[in-house]
């Protein structure tokens, strides 16, 4: 019903006209319902009127009840205040009695403690006067505790008096103890048997006094013990560097002799430890004076002996007192220098570096433990370097001696070097290289046992100079070119002649330089691990390694120059062949066989001695030298006929084949693909030149432009001379070539006299071309290439485009870390 409208409701009740008959009964029913509802409303209004009166009566009753409750609460509060006042009156006297009891108790306790303090001070005074140290120590503790209870009564005269008296008694005890300890070490302890026990009790008194008293007593005792040491070793007789060992013998003997006597000191006082520290400081001061006052440089043997004994003494003290012992594994690091690892497997290398990592972690843990020891009582002083560091500024004479010895050994090794390697040797390294690093390793061991600071760094600089000197020796052993007036007059200036032995020596120098390059890096790594941290970053062998890299580069270039010199005779023989009068094309010429013999005798040896990367570098240098030289040698020939050009083209193919077979000849084919492209690029220029010579005169310019686009007019003129053209005939071709003419008329086929040439077409009938010369060149290039490819016996060309692509692919080779060698 709520959701239905009135109209919908009526339509639902009376859907048809027949249903309208029920309207009247429905109206009556509704009116009856209205009357019933009105009666209900009236009854409810009457009931509500009666209820309102009753509610007012109930509210008035509740208000009255609240007022009565408020009155009762006020009355209870008043009675409570009266009760509190009554209780205070009753307890007033009791509270006074409680305070009085507390004060009396405090007074009695204070008086009792004061009595005890007075008594204890008097007893302590008597004990101090009688030097009863053992009892006085206990009494001191008691008096200190009693005095702490009277901190609040410091202003009371009696307490002040007692404190002053106690202070004076402690001063008396201190003076007595110091007086008694002055007799220790004078021999009285052997005469008076109870003296040691008496002094042991005195130590208890010192512990009960302030800590400063103990420090003063120990310092006085140590100073008194070392007084005789200063007197003995400051004299002219023993104040010398060679008497250093006797200093350490004196303190060790002193400690051993007085070990039983010094047991009177409590172990917590660390008397022997503190005595050794003072001894080291005094010894360092005296040794510094001795070294600084020397008029001449100290003797190296004496200096090193004194330093060695000092280091041994410091090690003994560090071991005895646990003051930061050093445990770096130096020997293993040095032994790794110069070892050959060519035959090591991956697992061996991995085990090696795992071992290094474990050793490194172990050293870090030991360093942490050492730092913990330094923070512990009695181990807060590191004895390493406490004395020996004073030698550091004066070890320059030792470094000078080491450098002199190393240089002498270097000269001896170079003089005794046979410049040969025993058969069966795996590394093909000169013995002087390995021996030199063995000597350096021994020198490093000696120095690292003495110092790991500035002196070791200075020695490292010496190693650099020695290795650079050795690199210079290797460089000087390389064959040199001819110099002087005779060499210049004979055309041999700058040429390098190398025998088979020279070639082997050069290979040994290359391998030895590679070995030195690698081992010098290992040397620097080992030194950086054992040297002090402030010098580690400055340890670098890059300059030395650059020196040996330069020797390697120069050696390989020398090999190439040596082979070039061997080719001189064959190149000269090539120019002497009568290329202009050859009647037929035969087998390859004699000079090609000569080149083949030279390479066949040298390359196998070089391939067996050089490593793949250096052999590859050598091959590339050789190809970049032989190819251009062969190309230029063609221009040195006299007139070349068509038959001669075909024969020379055949020879060029043979030389190219010989060069391509060099990797197989040297049994090293790892980089053969790149090398083959390099050779093909260089030799293709000579092939192209010969094809230009073979081309007809009327197309020689176009062929030259197509096959040799980088050629020059002078080179083109020389080609015309090789073809046997006369000067007059050459000039017209050169003029057309310089102008970029699209067609060159054949000089020998000029038009007969009286026959007119065909007139040129009008300009209007010629298509518009911005560059006629270029257009003619482009139009005829394919034809020129086709004809050039057919020239010669079996000659082949890659064409203009393939030739350029081959050139781009072969240049700018990238062969790893030796890229810079190719630019040499």
């Amino acid at each position: 019903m709520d959701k239905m409208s009135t109209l919908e409701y009526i339509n639902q009740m009376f859907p048809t006209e027949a249903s309208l008959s029920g309207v009247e009964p429905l109206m009556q029913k509704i009116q009856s319902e209205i009357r019933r509802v009105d009666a209900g409303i009236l009854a409810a209004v009457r009931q509500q009127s009666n209820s309102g009166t009753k509610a007012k009566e109930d509210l008035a009753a509740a208000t009255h009840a609240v007022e009565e409750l408020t009155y009762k609460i006020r009355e209870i509060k008043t009675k409570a205040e009266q009760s509190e006042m009554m209780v205070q009156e009753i307890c007033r006297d009791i509270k006074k009695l409680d305070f009085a009891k507390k004060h009396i108790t405090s007074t009695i306790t204070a008086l009792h403690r004061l009595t005890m303090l007075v008594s204890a001070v008097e007893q302590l005074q008597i004990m101090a006067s009688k030097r009863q140290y053992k009892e006085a120590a206990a009494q001191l503790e008691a008096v200190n505790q009693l005095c702490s209870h009277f901190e609040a009564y410091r202003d009371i005269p009696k307490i002040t008096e007692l404190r002053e008296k106690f202070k004076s008694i402690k001063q008396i005890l201190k003076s007595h103890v110091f007086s008694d300890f002055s007799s220790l070490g004078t021999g009285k302890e052997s005469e008076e048997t109870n003296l040691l026990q008496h002094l042991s009790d005195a130590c208890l008194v010192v512990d009960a006094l302030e800590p400063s008293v103990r420090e003063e007593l120990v310092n006085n005792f140590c100073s008194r013990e070392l007084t005789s040491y200063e007197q003995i070793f400051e004299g002219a007789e023993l104040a010398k560097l060679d008497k250093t060992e006797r200093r350490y013998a004196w303190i060790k003997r002193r400690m051993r002799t007085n070990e039983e006597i010094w047991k009177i000191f409590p172990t917590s006082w660390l008397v022997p430890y503190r005595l050794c520290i003072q001894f080291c400081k005094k010894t360092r001061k005296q040794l510094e004076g001795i070294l600084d006052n020397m008029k001449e440089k100290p003797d190296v043997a004496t200096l090193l002996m004194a330093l060695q004994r000092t280091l041994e003494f410091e090690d003994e003290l560090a071991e005895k007192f646990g003051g930061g012992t050093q445990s770096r594994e130096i020997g293993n690091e040095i032994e790794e220098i110069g070892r050959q690892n060519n035959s090591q497997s991956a697992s061996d290398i991995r085990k090696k570096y795992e071992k290094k990592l474990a050793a490194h972690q172990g050293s870090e843990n030991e360093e942490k433990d050492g730092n913990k020891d330094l923070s512990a009582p009695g181990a807060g002083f590191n004895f390493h370097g406490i004395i020996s560091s004073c030698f550091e500024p004066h070890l320059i004479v030792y470094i000078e001696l080491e450098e002199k010895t190393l240089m002498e050994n270097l000269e001896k090794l170079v003089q005794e070097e046979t410049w040969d390697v025993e058969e069966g040797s795996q590394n093909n390294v000169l013995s002087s290289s390995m021996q030199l690093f063995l000597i350096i390793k021994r020198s490093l061991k000696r120095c690292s046992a003495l110092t790991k600071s500035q002196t070791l760094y200075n020695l490292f600089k010496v190693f650099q100079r020695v290795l650079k000197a050795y690199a210079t020796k290797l460089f000087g052993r390389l064959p040199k070119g001819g110099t002087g007036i005779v060499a210049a007059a004979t055309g041999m200036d700058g040429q390098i002649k190398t025998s088979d032995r020279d070639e082997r020596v050069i290979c040994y120098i290359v391998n030895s330089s590679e070995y030195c390059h690698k081992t010098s890096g290992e040397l620097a790594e080992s030194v950086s691990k054992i040297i002090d941290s402030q010098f580690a970053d400055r340890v670098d062998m890059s300059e030395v390694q650059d020196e040996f890299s330069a020797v390697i580069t120069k050696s390989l270039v020398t090999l190439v120059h040596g082979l070039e010199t061997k080719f001189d005779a064959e190149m000269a023989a090539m120019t002497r062949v009568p290329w202009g009068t050859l009647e037929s094309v035969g087998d390859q010429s004699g000079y090609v066989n000569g080149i083949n013999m030279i390479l066949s005798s040298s390359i196998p040896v070089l391939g067996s001695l050089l490593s793949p990367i250096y052999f590859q570098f050598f091959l590339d240098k050789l190809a970049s030298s032989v190819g251009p030289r062969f190309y230029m040698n063609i221009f040195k020939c006299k007139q070349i006929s068509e038959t001669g050009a075909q024969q020379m083209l055949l020879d060029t193919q043979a030389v190219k084949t010989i060069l391509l077979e060099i990797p197989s000849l040297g049994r090293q084919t790892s980089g053969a693909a790149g090398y083959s492209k390099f050779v093909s690029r260089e030799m293709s220029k000579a092939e192209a030149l010969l094809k230009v010579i073979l081309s007809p005169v009327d197309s020689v310019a176009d062929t030259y432009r197509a096959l040799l686009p980088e050629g020059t007019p002078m080179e083109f003129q020389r080609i015309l001379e090789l073809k046997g053209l006369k000067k007059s005939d050459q000039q017209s071709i050169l003029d057309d070539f310089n102008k970029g003419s699209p067609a060159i008329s054949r000089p020998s086929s000029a038009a007969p006299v009286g026959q007119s040439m065909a007139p040129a077409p009008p300009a209007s009938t010629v298509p518009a071309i911005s560059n006629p010369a270029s257009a003619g060149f482009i139009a005829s290039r394919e034809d020129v290439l086709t004809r050039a490819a057919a020239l010669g016996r079996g000659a082949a060309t890659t064409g203009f485009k393939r030739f350029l692509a081959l050139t781009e692919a072969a240049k700018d080779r990238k062969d790893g870390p030796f890229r810079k060698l190719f630019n040499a």
Side-chain angles (χ1 to χ4, degrees):
M1 291 295 294
D2 295 338
K3 297 181 181 179
M4 296 177 63
S5 63
T6 305
L7 182 60
E8 291 176 351
Y9 176 71
I10 293 174
N11 290 335
Q12 184 179 357
M13 294 297 294
F14 307 103
T16 60
E17 292 181 2
S19 62
L20 293 176
S21 61
V23 171
E24 191 65 29
L26 180 61
M27 292 297 294
Q28 293 177 0
K29 182 181 178 182
I30 292 174
Q31 289 176 357
S32 175
E33 183 67 24
I34 290 172
R35 286 193 295 271
R36 188 183 62 78
V37 172
D38 288 341
I41 292 173
L42 182 60
V45 169
R46 287 175 181 174
Q47 185 180 358
Q48 181 63 31
S49 178
N50 294 333
S51 298
T53 304
K54 187 177 180 180
K56 291 180 180 179
E57 293 175 356
D58 291 342
L59 180 59
T63 302
H64 180 69
V66 170
E67 290 176 354
E68 288 183 355
L69 181 60
T70 303
Y71 174 75
K72 289 181 180 181
I73 290 174
R74 192 180 298 113
E75 190 178 30
I76 291 171
K77 184 177 180 181
T78 303
K79 290 181 179 181
E81 292 175 353
Q82 293 174 358
S83 299
E84 184 180 2
M85 293 177 63
M86 187 180 297
V87 170
Q88 288 179 354
E89 289 293 332
I90 294 172
C91 297
R92 183 175 296 171
D93 296 336
I94 298 175
K95 194 172 185 179
K96 290 180 179 179
L97 293 174
D98 184 59
F99 281 132
K101 180 182 177 182
K102 185 184 294 185
H103 292 158
I104 290 172
T105 304
S106 298
T107 303
I108 293 173
T109 303
L111 289 174
H112 180 65
R113 288 174 176 171
L114 180 60
T115 303
M116 292 174 63
L117 179 59
V118 173
S119 176
V121 170
E122 291 178 354
Q123 292 177 10
L124 181 62
Q125 187 175 15
I126 295 172
M127 294 174 184
S129 62
K130 294 182 179 180
R131 302 193 178 189
Q132 297 174 350
Y133 294 133
K134 188 173 184 179
E135 295 80 3
Q139 197 70 8
L140 272 173
E141 294 289 343
V143 173
N144 284 327
Q145 292 181 3
L146 289 172
C147 286
S148 64
H149 294 295
F150 291 96
E151 287 295 328
Y153 308 104
R154 298 176 65 92
D155 297 334
I156 297 177
K158 182 62 177 177
I159 299 301
T160 304
E161 180 184 350
L162 286 173
R163 292 177 68 88
E164 290 295 329
K165 187 176 182 180
F166 178 54
K167 185 177 180 180
S168 63
I169 292 172
K170 288 196 294 184
Q171 191 63 33
I172 292 172
L173 280 172
K174 176 183 175 181
S175 62
H176 287 344
V177 169
F178 276 58
S179 176
D180 291 345
F181 266 99
S182 63
S183 60
L184 184 64
T186 59
K188 291 184 179 180
E189 59 271 8
S190 59
E191 300 174 1
E192 302 178 14
T193 55
N194 295 329
L195 179 59
L196 294 180
Q197 182 60 42
H198 186 66
L199 294 178
S200 178
D201 295 340
C203 291
L204 300 177
V205 173
V206 174
D207 274 335
L209 295 172
E210 290 79 7
S212 60
V213 177
R214 182 184 64 189
E215 293 292 326
E216 184 180 353
L217 178 62
V218 173
N219 290 334
N220 288 344
F221 170 75
C222 294
S223 299
R224 190 168 61 252
E225 282 290 319
L226 296 175
T227 300
S228 59
Y229 167 75
E230 291 178 336
Q231 294 174 352
I232 294 173
F233 288 95
E234 281 183 353
E237 182 179 353
L238 295 179
K240 297 178 181 178
L241 200 59
D242 56 353
K243 306 296 182 182
T244 304
E245 186 177 2
R246 297 183 62 177
R247 296 173 178 270
Y248 309 132
W250 182 91
I251 187 63
K252 288 189 283 187
R253 183 172 60 253
R254 189 75 172 179
M255 293 177 67
R256 187 171 55 252
T257 304
N258 297 332
E259 184 177 3
E260 292 296 328
I261 299 176
W262 291 351
K263 287 183 178 180
I264 62 173
F265 296 107
T267 55
S268 60
W269 287 19
L270 304 171
V271 172
Y273 171 78
R274 299 168 71 89
L275 177 65
C276 289
I277 290 178
Q278 287 200 22
F279 170 81
C280 291
K281 290 180 178 179
K282 291 181 180 294
T283 302
R284 175 190 174 90
K285 184 177 180 181
Q286 290 186 357
L287 289 178
E288 283 179 344
I290 294 173
L291 291 170
D292 292 339
N293 294 330
M294 282 187 172
K295 297 180 180 179
E296 299 179 354
K297 290 184 178 180
D299 179 64
V300 177
T302 303
L303 181 66
L304 294 183
M305 180 60 69
L307 177 56
Q308 183 64 35
R309 295 296 177 261
T310 302
L311 292 171
E312 292 173 357
F313 178 67
E314 290 176 350
D315 289 338
E316 291 178 7
L317 293 182
E319 183 178 358
K320 181 178 180 63
F321 299 110
T325 58
Q326 294 180 344
S327 59
R328 285 186 286 183
E329 297 284 343
I330 299 172
N332 293 337
E333 294 292 343
I334 299 176
E335 289 300 327
E336 291 295 328
I337 301 173
R339 287 188 176 179
Q340 296 295 325
N341 297 322
N342 297 332
S343 60
Q344 283 187 336
S345 63
S347 59
D348 295 334
I349 297 174
R350 183 173 63 253
K351 289 179 181 179
K352 170 188 171 184
Y353 283 99
E354 286 176 352
K355 181 178 178 182
K356 284 189 174 183
L357 179 61
H360 179 65
Q361 292 175 347
S363 64
E364 288 182 349
N365 294 333
E366 290 176 359
E367 185 176 355
K368 292 179 180 177
D369 295 339
N371 292 335
K372 291 180 180 178
D373 291 339
L374 291 177
S375 63
F381 197 87
N382 187 0
F383 284 98
H384 287 289
I386 183 175
I387 304 175
S388 58
S389 58
C390 71
F391 289 88
E392 195 72 34
H394 304 277
L395 287 176
I396 188 65
V397 292
Y398 162 67
I399 297 300
E400 292 173 353
L401 178 62
E402 284 284 358
E403 182 171 9
K404 179 182 178 182
T405 304
L406 287 171
M407 287 298 183
E408 290 176 353
N409 287 327
L410 174 61
E411 292 293 337
K412 183 178 179 181
L413 288 174
V414 174
Q415 291 175 3
E416 296 176 354
E417 180 61 70
T418 61
W419 304 100
D420 200 357
V421 175
E422 297 179 0
E423 295 184 3
S425 177
Q426 295 181 353
N427 50 26
N428 293 319
V429 175
L430 295 173
S431 61
S432 59
S433 300
M434 295 182 286
Q435 291 296 326
L436 178 61
F437 276 99
L438 288 176
I439 295 172
I440 288 176
K441 283 164 58 177
R442 287 196 291 267
S443 176
L444 179 58
K445 277 187 177 181
R446 287 194 298 269
C447 185
S448 59
L450 299 175
T451 175
K452 301 171 186 65
S453 188
Q454 181 67 47
T455 301
L456 181 57
Y457 179 72
N458 293 339
L459 182 64
F460 175 75
K461 302 296 285 184
V462 170
F463 293 160
Q464 288 181 321
R465 292 193 290 271
V466 171
L467 291 174
K468 287 181 180 179
Y470 183 63
T472 304
K473 297 288 185 184
L474 294 179
F475 191 90
R477 182 59 180 80
L478 295 174
K480 301 294 189 299
T483 57
I485 300 176
V486 177
T490 58
M492 301 296 290
D493 189 14
Q495 292 184 340
I496 299 176
K497 291 185 177 182
T498 56
S499 62
D500 292 343
R501 172 175 168 76
D502 290 335
E503 291 177 352
R504 296 179 66 89
V505 170
I506 293 173
C507 291
Y508 296 147
I509 291 176
V510 170
N511 296 333
S512 300
S513 298
E514 182 184 13
Y515 169 79
C516 294
H517 183 283
K518 174 186 174 184
T519 310
S520 60
E522 296 175 354
L523 174 64
E525 182 180 355
S526 298
V527 172
S528 64
K529 290 181 179 179
I530 63 178
I531 201 169
D532 290 345
S533 57
Q534 64 264 30
F535 297 99
D537 294 337
R538 297 158 59 183
V539 175
D540 183 28
M541 275 287 187
S542 58
E543 293 184 2
V544 174
Q545 291 176 319
D546 290 343
E547 292 280 344
F548 286 109
S549 296
V551 174
I552 293 173
T553 304
K554 179 62 177 177
S555 301
L556 295 175
V557 172
T558 302
L559 273 181
V560 175
H561 289 170
L563 282 177
E564 285 181 350
T565 303
K566 289 183 178 181
F567 291 153
D568 286 347
E570 311 306 326
M571 293 291 118
M574 175 182 173
T575 60
R576 290 194 297 268
V577 174
W579 300 108
T581 59
L582 284 181
E583 297 180 355
S584 63
V585 178
D587 199 357
Q588 62 188 28
S589 303
Y591 71 90
V592 177
N593 296 329
I595 292 175
N596 189 25
M597 290 179 60
I598 292 172
L599 294 176
S600 298
S601 64
S602 298
I603 295 301
V605 176
L606 301 182
S608 64
L609 295 179
L610 293 176
S611 62
I613 191 168
Y614 294 125
F615 186 71
Q616 182 63 40
F617 172 74
F618 163 75
L619 292 184
D620 291 335
K621 284 291 186 182
L622 181 63
S624 63
S625 171
V626 173
R629 186 178 183 186
F630 190 86
Y631 177 85
M632 296 304 298
N633 207 57
I634 295 176
F635 289 103
K636 295 180 181 180
C637 297
K638 297 181 179 179
Q639 182 178 348
I640 301 176
S641 64
E642 182 176 348
T643 303
Q646 291 178 355
Q647 178 65 48
M648 191 177 293
L649 189 61
L650 176 66
D651 294 342
T652 303
Q653 291 286 345
V655 172
K656 178 179 178 181
T657 302
I658 293 171
L659 294 177
L660 290 176
E661 291 177 352
I662 287 180
S664 300
L665 194 62
R667 298 181 181 179
Q668 294 194 23
T669 59
S670 57
Y675 168 74
S676 299
K677 293 180 180 179
F678 200 52
V679 170
S680 299
R681 185 194 75 178
E682 296 297 331
M683 295 302 297
S684 62
K685 297 179 182 179
E687 294 175 349
L689 174 60
L690 293 172
K691 290 173 184 177
V692 172
I693 296 174
L694 279 169
S695 63
V697 176
D698 57 355
S699 63
V700 65
D702 294 335
T703 306
Y704 183 72
R705 291 193 190 97
L707 298 181
L708 298 172
E710 297 179 357
T712 63
M714 293 181 62
E715 192 176 88
F716 181 67
Q717 182 180 2
R718 179 56 183 155
I719 291 175
L720 297 180
E721 293 175 357
L722 291 175
K723 289 178 68 66
L725 296 179
K726 297 179 180 179
K727 290 288 185 180
S728 58
D729 296 337
Q730 292 179 17
Q731 190 60 43
S732 60
I733 299 176
L734 286 173
D735 293 341
D736 292 340
F737 175 78
N738 292 331
K739 295 177 181 179
S741 175
I744 304 175
S745 60
R746 191 182 188 94
S748 60
S749 59
V753 178
Q755 182 178 355
S756 61
M757 298 179 63
S764 60
T765 63
V766 179
I769 298 177
S770 59
N771 191 343
S774 299
F777 171 69
I778 295 172
S780 61
R781 183 178 59 185
E782 296 298 331
D783 179 60
V784 171
L785 290 175
T786 303
R787 284 184 290 167
L791 297 175
R793 289 180 54 193
T797 180
T798 59
F800 180 57
K801 294 181 179 179
R802 286 193 61 196
F803 177 73
L804 290 180
L806 183 62
T807 303
E808 293 297 326
K811 72 180 181 179
D812 295 333
R813 298 173 53 84
K814 296 180 179 179
D815 287 332
F818 292 88
R819 172 68 184 88
K820 63 181 181 179
L821 299 181
F822 289 94
N823 296 328

